[in-house]
Amino acid sequence: MPHILLKSAQVNTVKKLASSIADEVQQFVSRHSSVSVERTVLRLYGVDGVDSSGTPLPNAIVDRWCANGEMGGGISRPFIKAMLKSGKDAQQTARLIEEGKIGFDKLGDLSQETVRKKEKSRARQAIARLDSSRKRKAEKIRKIPLPVQPWRYLIVATGNIHEDVIQARSAVYAGSDIIAVIRSTAQSLLDYVPYGFTTEGVGGTYATQANFKIMREALDEASKEHGRYIRQVNYASGLCMAEIAACAAFEDLDILLNDSMYGILFRDINMKRTFIDQYFSRLICARAKILINTGEDNYLTTSDAIEDAHTVTASQLINEAMAKKAKLTDDLLGLGHAFEINPAIENAFLYELAHAQLARELFPKAPLKYMPPTKYKSTDIFFSHCMDTMFNLSSVTTGQGIHLAGILTEALHTPLMQDRFKSLSSINYIFNIARSLGDEIEFKKDGFITKRARQVLDETEKSLEEINDIGLMEAISQGRFANIQRPLDGGRGLDGVFEKGADYSNPVMDLLEKD
Amino acid sequence: MSKDLIKPYGDTLDDGIVQLSFTLPVENGPKAKKAAEIYVGKLNFEDIHVVHAQKIADNFTCFIVYARAVPTIDYSAVKVKVAKFEHIDFYQINDLIKKKIGRPISLVGATIGSDAHTVGIDAIMNMKGFKQDYGLERYPQIKAYNLGAQVSCETLIKKALEVKADAILVSQTVTQKESHINNFTELIERLAADDLKEKFVLLAGGHKINNELAVKLGYDAGFGPGTVPSQVASFLITSILQKKGK
């Protein structure tokens, strides 16, 4: 790969600043939990399905528990007590609670020791379930190898999971390595995970455990057929980050969009809520080896890709630091960035190379997620195809990890099957003819690209210092990212946040943090 | 009026050359190519050349076809409704507001319904603007309130009343299952129900929107892809002045 000589002292400085920023957020996170974290505990204990009115059982149970008023202790202990009382498994116990046959207020006097023991053993089983997903995936990849990077990432979004399968198969045939099923519009704002397979969505298909399973089976078949392991992606950002991570782990998903910053800025999710949810979600991802993708690329859709390039880098560094606190390793960090510079600017491609190379060198082991042009995508599909081709060249030259396919018609409509094929044809062509270009070129020591990368890093350092002084939450309130201001107590989901009591119990989280 | 007959131009006047690209749900092969040729024939094209046929998935083949179109149309008889305004620049617009209205104009914008895309409304409203054309937030004489995405019609109308808006801008990006039409219509119906429709200049934007469609849906104008903020501002000022009879 080509190199830009970054000052290693400066790299250390920015990483330290990011870590200090993440520390402050983590202190807040450690003192709080949320309804969706608690619902995740129930899911990990084995609660699934819906009640008679169609409400997911984890919601129904947590709602009853909340109504009880004493939330500080967490759902684990009272639910385990109910299990001991019923003598049934988690699912049957949840049914009994939902039917009103067991109440949280009448659990009687079980010895603390008995409850704690049962909690621990239930938590260990939950962890074992995450471990077995990780092992199953490793075994699949041992048999069917992963393709070389950049991995070609394609989105399907028909609304109907069965139709998605047809689209996904055609994308794999055309060369795709990763299939993402984009969610139905605004699912990120739902405070529950829909249940069962679904055939009606707008702008995408609902993320449900059943839909995950249907796509995973199809992709397993496609992997065998084409001799390369096809990774499956879904989206966790929103009000159910940890629950979706659990469902994704159960069904052996490989990648989740998992980014609070994105939720706060672009979906107006309350920042306290989503930082809390993100932490548990990422702990689950780390354990099940689900690669996370972050959404920094989106910043450049609202702010300028040259002027504000440093906000992307700063956010990547902060996201890396927060991910490490949740035990995610470098190989699981799909930090986001994008090719979004105005195509009319002279030397725009040089800027793009500088930005892409900077990300590559700051996170050398991370499978960076690189997004195609969207903001300046033209309805002139022929011109758009040219833009995507240059994006493909930048990606392979700078050795990006996860390459989102840019599609010539994306400024027009949900891409047609033939549009995806054309997109992949260009990617295959460019990746093949320029495969080793990056190994052959060096950037001039004081040339345009090197200077530009250093400038962005300087601006990043300055920006991180300021954020470190005021704290990340305040920085977001001030609109430091994407030119969007989000107040501390604004947005969706704050009512689901509560402070942990001295007796708070979440043995799954304890085990995930310990090992 | 004399007729002005036209048809597509390839490299010679009236050669009628058209390029087509489409997919048929069949395996590639001589039969598939023949089917494509027959199909294009049914569309009333002549001199059909299926120049490219490619398997793009099991049981799907994509074609590129060149053919000659037969019909002509009378260009002099073509009528189109475009939003009537003179496109003036940032400085002229601010000047005009100052001189003719004497107070800053106020407007609210949002992406309504479940649509989560802010790209359209941001291109027009954000300070930075689009294609080197400043966004409406940058205009000293415009108070622009961008409410972002997934805003309900109620919230949007409430805000418009609260800030005494002269205009409401709505954007829609998701068009699957005609959701944009439904959302655009819902806003108009709500405004009409509250007798507020005449109170605001109403603008619709999005990549599947053109002026004709927007006017049909009950908006004052519609702006499609490639629109820059100063075009929207020019229309606004023209339209506000018209309403005031100035």
Side-chain angles (χ1 to χ4, degrees):
Chain A
M1 283 297 126
H3 275 296
I4 291 167
L5 278 180
L6 300 176
K7 295 172 211 144
S8 63
Q10 190 179 22
V11 173
N12 286 338
T13 306
V14 292
K15 296 236 168 177
K16 264 191 200 141
L17 282 167
S19 181
S20 155
I21 292 164
D23 273 337
E24 201 202 347
V25 175
Q26 191 57 34
Q27 279 170 22
F28 172 83
V29 167
S30 311
R31 294 197 308 273
H32 294 84
S33 182
S34 78
V35 285
S36 92
V37 165
E38 302 303 319
R39 295 197 299 257
T40 309
V41 172
L42 291 182
R43 286 188 183 275
L44 289 166
Y45 283 173
V47 178
D48 192 14
V50 288
D51 71 8
S52 52
S53 69
T55 305
L57 268 187
N59 286 69
I61 306 303
V62 166
D63 288 350
R64 275 169 186 266
W65 164 74
C66 287
N68 228 27
E70 292 162 22
M71 291 152 71
I75 190 85
S76 172
R77 195 175 298 122
F79 186 78
I80 292 292
K81 277 189 189 172
M83 277 181 79
L84 285 165
K85 180 118 178 174
S86 72
K88 311 268 189 200
D89 68 10
Q91 182 67 15
Q92 285 171 303
T93 304
R95 286 262 172 243
L96 292 171
I97 296 171
E98 180 249 322
E99 287 161 8
K101 290 179 180 147
I102 298 180
F104 281 119
D105 50 338
K106 294 175 217 141
L107 290 176
D109 46 351
L110 291 155
S111 90
Q112 272 196 8
E113 191 49 36
T114 316
V115 177
R116 200 172 297 147
K117 244 175 135 177
K118 176 84 176 172
E119 267 190 286
K120 263 228 162 119
S121 82
R122 206 51 225 125
R124 273 198 211 98
Q125 286 176 50
I127 300 285
R129 209 168 159 194
L130 301 179
D131 288 345
S132 64
S133 168
R134 189 183 67 237
K135 285 171 195 158
R136 272 197 304 275
K137 279 188 287 191
E139 182 58 20
K140 284 184 204 170
I141 293 168
R142 199 181 60 77
K143 284 190 189 145
I144 306 172
L146 277 174
V148 290
Q149 292 184 0
W151 294 322
R152 298 159 289 185
Y153 177 123
L154 229 100
I155 290 171
V156 296
T158 69
N160 178 332
I161 188 64
H162 305 296
E163 198 68 35
D164 288 343
V165 163
I166 296 172
Q167 299 279 334
R169 284 210 184 102
S170 83
V172 173
Y173 170 81
S176 169
D177 303 312
I178 299 178
I179 296 294
V181 180
I182 211 161
R183 286 186 294 178
S184 187
T185 298
Q187 189 183 342
S188 55
L189 309 181
L190 299 180
D191 210 341
Y192 62 90
V193 181
Y195 178 76
F197 73 83
T198 65
T199 55
E200 280 188 17
V202 178
T205 307
Y206 284 103
T208 72
Q209 198 179 324
N211 286 346
F212 291 173
K213 191 185 180 75
I214 290 170
M215 183 56 76
R216 182 69 267 173
E217 281 167 2
L219 295 183
D220 282 344
E221 270 177 39
S223 299
K224 269 184 215 150
E225 195 182 327
H226 296 280
R228 61 182 195 279
Y229 179 69
I230 308 299
R231 301 194 136 184
Q232 183 180 354
V233 179
N234 215 288
Y235 299 74
S237 309
L239 287 170
C240 297
M241 289 188 81
E243 284 184 274
I244 290 183
C247 296
F250 295 156
E251 301 304 338
D252 299 352
L253 265 68
D254 305 278
I255 303 176
L256 277 180
L257 274 283
N258 186 306
D259 187 2
S260 289
M261 296 286 287
Y262 170 78
I264 297 162
L265 297 169
F266 293 92
R267 292 291 178 266
D268 199 14
I269 310 286
N270 174 263
M271 63 174 94
K272 291 177 178 169
R273 166 68 178 268
T274 188
F275 281 131
I276 294 161
D277 292 351
Q278 173 178 268
Y279 175 61
F280 195 36
S281 180
R282 288 184 173 183
L283 281 172
I284 293 167
C285 289
R287 188 72 185 209
K289 264 212 186 266
I290 293 174
L291 202 154
I292 65 157
N293 278 355
T294 60
E296 282 84 358
D297 41 281
N298 291 283
Y299 302 174
L300 304 180
T301 61
T302 56
S303 53
D304 185 76
I306 293 180
E307 258 169 53
D308 293 324
H310 65 279
T311 62
V312 170
T313 311
S315 175
Q316 287 174 329
L317 285 157
I318 295 168
N319 245 325
E320 178 196 39
M322 289 198 287
K324 293 245 160 121
K325 297 202 187 298
K327 307 186 81 98
L328 283 158
T329 46
D330 287 326
D331 59 320
L332 299 178
L333 300 184
L335 301 167
H337 62 133
F339 189 97
E340 287 280 22
I341 294 169
N342 183 344
I345 287 176
E346 189 175 40
N347 283 327
F349 188 66
L350 275 62
Y351 281 101
E352 296 287 10
L353 282 178
H355 298 173
Q357 187 61 33
L358 174 64
R360 180 67 288 157
E361 291 192 28
L362 276 177
F363 313 100
K365 290 181 197 151
L368 299 172
K369 181 196 79 165
Y370 198 28
M371 291 290 281
T374 59
K375 189 178 181 181
Y376 290 95
K377 261 281 159 63
S378 168
T379 46
D380 174 356
I381 60 171
F382 303 106
F383 181 75
S384 289
H385 201 45
C386 295
M387 283 178 79
D388 286 333
T389 303
M390 293 311 289
F391 161 69
N392 298 340
L393 184 60
S394 171
S395 183
V396 74
T397 307
T398 57
Q400 301 299 315
I402 295 169
H403 179 90
L404 273 278
I407 299 183
L408 64 165
T409 55
E410 67 193 317
L412 289 180
H413 52 221
T414 304
L416 309 181
M417 188 190 272
Q418 65 193 42
D419 303 338
R420 294 206 189 92
F421 186 87
K422 296 287 172 223
S423 162
L424 280 161
S425 301
S426 164
I427 294 172
N428 295 338
Y429 165 58
I430 299 296
F431 282 11
N432 187 50
I433 63 164
R435 180 65 72 190
S436 306
L437 180 62
D439 299 333
E440 291 294 317
I441 57 177
E442 287 173 8
F443 295 122
K444 275 165 103 175
K445 224 187 241 164
D446 285 308
F448 186 99
I449 290 173
T450 302
K451 275 192 193 152
R452 174 61 192 164
R454 287 184 180 155
Q455 183 195 355
V456 175
L457 192 57
D458 288 344
E459 288 169 8
T460 301
E461 185 181 347
K462 189 166 162 282
S463 163
L464 286 173
E465 273 167 3
E466 289 164 10
I467 295 166
N468 192 36
D469 286 344
I470 56 176
L472 181 60
M473 297 202 195
E474 175 61 24
I476 295 169
S477 315
Q478 291 180 5
R480 296 278 179 125
F481 299 97
N483 290 330
I484 298 171
Q485 298 176 6
R486 297 295 187 198
L488 186 62
D489 290 324
R492 299 171 172 93
L494 181 61
D495 52 356
V497 171
F498 63 93
E499 202 168 338
K500 290 178 183 171
D503 60 341
Y504 181 76
S505 167
N506 182 346
V508 184
M509 191 182 282
D510 295 342
L511 286 175
L512 288 173
E513 283 174 333
K514 205 165 69 185
D515 299 349
Chain B
M1 205 194 284
S2 72
K3 283 195 172 182
D4 182 8
L5 296 179
I6 54 164
K7 67 191 316 195
Y9 177 95
D11 67 354
T12 308
L13 194 63
D14 290 337
D15 59 15
I17 301 273
V18 164
Q19 57 187 23
L20 296 150
S21 168
F22 59 91
T23 299
L24 289 176
V26 295
E27 275 301 334
N28 193 7
K31 191 176 171 188
K33 280 178 93 164
K34 193 68 199 171
E37 187 186 322
I38 292 169
Y39 196 85
V40 175
K42 286 215 165 196
L43 298 174
N44 200 22
F45 285 99
E46 289 178 345
D47 200 7
I48 298 158
H49 297 278
V50 179
V51 297
H52 186 74
Q54 166 111 50
K55 173 173 177 164
I56 60 168
D58 284 343
N59 216 34
F60 288 97
T61 304
C62 181
F63 304 93
I64 299 176
V65 179
Y66 283 86
R68 288 181 196 276
V70 178
T72 55
I73 59 165
D74 178 6
Y75 193 59
S76 66
V78 173
K79 299 276 177 282
V80 64
K81 279 185 202 143
V82 288
K84 276 195 190 132
F85 64 94
E86 193 193 342
H87 187 185
I88 51 178
D89 73 14
F90 178 82
Y91 302 98
Q92 293 169 310
I93 292 165
N94 283 311
D95 251 18
L96 203 58
I97 298 173
K98 238 186 203 166
K99 281 187 195 140
K100 293 263 177 99
I101 301 185
R103 61 163 173 90
I105 61 170
S106 162
L107 56 91
V108 294
T111 301
I112 54 173
S114 62
D115 191 341
H117 296 78
T118 58
V119 56
I121 198 77
D122 285 344
I124 301 303
M125 295 192 69
N126 270 13
M127 195 69 85
K128 177 75 196 171
F130 183 60
K131 287 190 184 162
Q132 269 73 52
D133 193 280
Y134 291 150
L136 302 181
E137 289 175 351
R138 190 103 157 211
Y139 286 68
Q141 294 300 318
I142 297 179
K143 282 190 194 158
Y145 302 87
N146 183 353
L147 307 191
Q150 297 180 335
V151 175
S152 69
C153 293
E154 290 98 318
T155 311
L156 182 61
I157 296 169
K158 209 176 129 201
K159 183 78 182 178
L161 291 171
E162 183 193 315
V163 303
K164 299 197 171 65
D166 297 288
I168 299 179
L169 278 64
V170 262
S171 163
Q172 291 283 282
T173 300
V174 173
T175 56
Q176 223 172 25
K177 296 178 185 130
E178 300 289 301
S179 64
H180 61 309
I181 304 288
N182 298 335
N183 288 335
F184 279 132
T185 307
E186 190 192 334
L187 180 69
I188 292 291
E189 283 172 357
R190 275 179 192 268
L191 285 166
D194 296 339
D195 218 6
L196 292 169
K197 206 176 155 284
E198 298 309 316
K199 205 174 165 63
F200 309 105
V201 177
L202 300 171
L203 304 185
H207 59 98
K208 283 257 179 89
I209 275 288
N210 57 41
N211 189 56
E212 216 155 332
L213 174 62
V215 170
K216 203 173 104 195
L217 294 172
Y219 288 76
D220 291 290
F223 293 91
T227 305
V228 293
S230 61
Q231 281 173 308
V232 176
S234 298
F235 175 81
L236 270 176
I237 179 69
T238 312
S239 173
I240 291 169
L241 289 174
Q242 261 169 16
K243 279 204 175 183
K244 292 183 180 299
K246 286 185 186 175

